[in-house]
Amino acid sequence: LRPGRFDELIYVPVPDEEGRRRILGIHTADMPLGPDVNLDALARETERYTGADLEDLVRRAGLEALREDLETQEVPMPLFRRALEATRASVTPEMEAEYQQILDTLKRESPLGTRRIGFEVARAVAETSAEDGGGAAEPSREAGDGGGEKVPLEAGGA
């Protein structure tokens, strides 16, 4: 990352079992699966896998099916098992523990809800009166001052 590009750190944990199941469903939606394919079982067996890891798993199983038979009509569970043996989670338990430490530190240094952030809101529409019939909007500030105002938001708010 370039300096100044982002000023917030956001911790995105690896998906839980339900999340992994949904990700597997997304990546296999257009893949003809064999009747023996159990995405719930794959989700249970892929702890610490990221979305990219799961995408790789599905891709490997599909490629393996094509290697076996270019005319294949489905990807059976044994090919997912083979792909699972050939891949691994990119997040190790040590990395997960380190991320948790960083998250805990960030929470202590800047507890959610106590920090205020803001952004510029351009005031494009001025109040209109009945006389002008809701005509052209006038800026609420003089030219050259940015034409906006600082609007505070609570962290985590929308």
Side-chain angles (χ1 to χ4, degrees), residues 28 31-33 55-70 72 74-76 79-80 83:
T28 59
M31 179 180 277
L33 301 177
E55 179 184 23
D56 181 54
L57 173 72
V58 170
R59 183 183 51 77
R60 285 175 187 256
L63 288 173
E64 191 64 34
L66 291 173
R67 281 189 195 105
E68 285 187 0
D69 180 8
L70 281 174
T72 189
E74 60 186 29
V75 182
L79 297 183
F80 279 96

Side-chain angles (χ1 to χ4, degrees), residues 41-107:
L42 287 171
R44 281 191 299 277
E45 297 172 33
T46 51
E47 189 173 348
R48 293 187 328 276
Y49 275 58
T50 64
D53 297 335
L54 295 168
E55 179 184 23
D56 181 54
L57 173 72
V58 170
R59 183 183 51 77
R60 285 175 187 256
L63 288 173
E64 191 64 34
L66 291 173
R67 281 189 195 105
E68 285 187 0
D69 180 8
L70 281 174
E71 303 298 321
T72 189
Q73 297 298 309
E74 60 186 29
V75 182
M77 189 67 170
L79 297 183
F80 279 96
R81 295 257 178 244
R82 195 179 308 164
L84 199 51
E85 291 172 8
T87 190
R88 62 180 174 77
S90 61
V91 176
T92 65
E94 295 81 15
M95 291 168 69
E96 205 166 29
E98 184 178 349
Y99 294 154
Q100 188 61 49
Q101 276 185 323
I102 292 169
L103 178 62
D104 293 343
T105 300
L106 290 173
K107 282 182 179 178

Side-chain angles (χ1 to χ4, degrees), residues 109-132:
E109 290 177 359
S110 180
L112 188 63
T114 62
R115 192 171 56 109
R116 295 176 69 87
I117 59 173
F119 62 93
E120 290 289 317
V121 176
R123 296 178 110 188
V125 179
E127 292 184 24
T128 58
S129 65
E131 297 88 45
D132 67 8

